[in-house]
Amino acid sequence: MMERFTGAFTQQEPIPEAGIEAAIAVMRGGRLHRYNTIGDEVAEVALLEQEFAAYTGAKFALAVASGGYALGAALRAVGVCAGDPVLTNAFTLAPVPGAIAAVGAVPVFVDVTRDLVIDLTHLERMIGETGARVLMLSHMRGHLCDMDALMAICDANGVQVIEDCAHTMGAAWNGVPSGRHGVIGCYSTQTYKHMNSGEGGFLISDDPEIMARAILLSGSYMLYDRHLAAPAPEVFEALRMETPNVSGRMDNLRAAILRPQLRDIETQVDRWNALYRTVEAGLENTPGLSIITRPPQERIVGSSIQFLLDGWDGDRVVEVINRCAARGVELKWFGAADPVAFTSRYQHWRYAPSQDLPQTDAVLAGLIDMRLPLTFNTEDCALIARIIRAEVSAVYQSA
Ligand SMILES: *Cc1c(COP(=O)(O)O)cnc(C)c1O
């Protein structure tokens, strides 16, 4: 009998009861805006920022309306201007080049390696060719490059690093949390990421001026003294009249549902990794399929898994995807000619100058991606791996 999987790849867990109760309390009070406090009340958003700063080890944290907003604010806060080249990964998702284009800057793509990280040789070359002074580094699908080597290259060339940690909240390289290598780390708390407030995000930094600018940008209406994870008020003095307001604050309702999730995040990381390692083990030694090796320095958060069908024809990749879909397993392919839902690739972003990246094209042509929501358990993941293994083998052997 042919096994079928019946779970939903886009179904997240419910919000913890403590978050639901805290959200109801915020709504009962009516003070949803982060600066709407009475007496010596401290807003949920301010508490969340303090807790997120403590979790990541950053001096400062700011909660905002989305991960994409965090990326845009980060670019403005480090002083990126219209026309500036900004380096970023060719393998990422649309909000990343979108944030660069939205400030009028010019995305410059850097190749991806077969390990799904930024190609450091190509990075160095593109720094030289473009004179770019900012890298927006996307830890796409949770893969961390050799962060020590990357920072050495960027520091030697005076390139500031903004980390896009939309897929790496909870991850680390050599014990240093993702988001803590560059000058700013940006996170998303959108439904499909590691904490779920529908929409939302964070910026973290140790740099007082950069964080003061980000807070002013977010729309602090000179009420920055109500923050608990912000630089001292003096830092704002020189910046407060010359930093434009680009409103993108988080509200107390979202902060209320995020605070209990942040308390649970380490448990969630362990649960994700158990799912990831189950699928990985189930796919090992499948003919025609390459697993992505994860280096020992990397602490992963396995909320999704990728593998390569190296050198396969597009038609056969599509056949695997269709056969898996018929058995309830939803795979995404980064080699598709047209963007499909969240999955698109650098040639689809026509607002960026076109580049020819054969190495990236070869990797993306065989790259398969699958979500692992926490509504799955390890038995589900073992079944999913059996289905993928059977269908990949069947198509591979019929070649
Ligand atoms: C989701 C995502 C973002 C942006 O997050 P939003 O909250 O959706 O704006 C940025 N980068 C990557 C890689 C993402 O997947």
Side-chain angles (χ1 to χ4, degrees), residues 65-71 91-96 138-141 164-167 186-193 198-201 342:
S66 74
Y69 180 86
L71 296 174
F91 174 47
T92 184
L93 290 175
V96 179
S138 184
H139 303 300
M140 178 63 175
R141 288 293 183 260
D164 166 24
C165 306
H167 304 165
C186 299
Y187 301 79
S188 169
T189 61
Q190 186 236 73
T191 294
Y192 299 106
K193 313 298 164 90
E199 302 287 354
F342 289 95

Side-chain angles (χ1 to χ4, degrees), residues 206-258:
D206 283 351
D207 185 302
E209 260 189 39
I210 286 176
M211 186 51 82
R213 256 188 239 114
I215 290 171
L216 292 165
L217 282 161
S218 76
S220 61
Y221 302 123
M222 306 301 165
L223 297 168
Y224 41 78
D225 62 340
R226 295 195 196 167
H227 287 238
L228 297 175
E234 309 83 84
V235 183
F236 290 83
E237 278 311 311
L239 306 167
R240 53 188 234 141
M241 308 298 231
E242 58 189 47
T243 306
N245 181 326
V246 187
S247 284
R249 295 168 304 272
M250 182 177 278
D251 59 86
N252 287 329
L253 198 49
R254 285 174 194 173
I257 69 174
L258 287 171

Side-chain angles (χ1 to χ4, degrees), residues 100-118:
I100 297 170
V103 300
V106 182
V108 176
F109 298 112
V110 181
D111 265 324
V112 67
T113 69
R114 280 188 84 263
D115 294 327
L116 304 188
V117 295
I118 194 164

Side-chain angles (χ1 to χ4, degrees), residues 110-111 113 117-125 145-146 149-150 153:
V110 181
D111 265 324
T113 69
V117 295
I118 194 164
D119 184 321
L120 297 182
T121 310
H122 192 232
L123 171 65
E124 216 164 357
R125 200 168 91 223
C145 71
D146 181 337
L150 176 125
I153 292 169

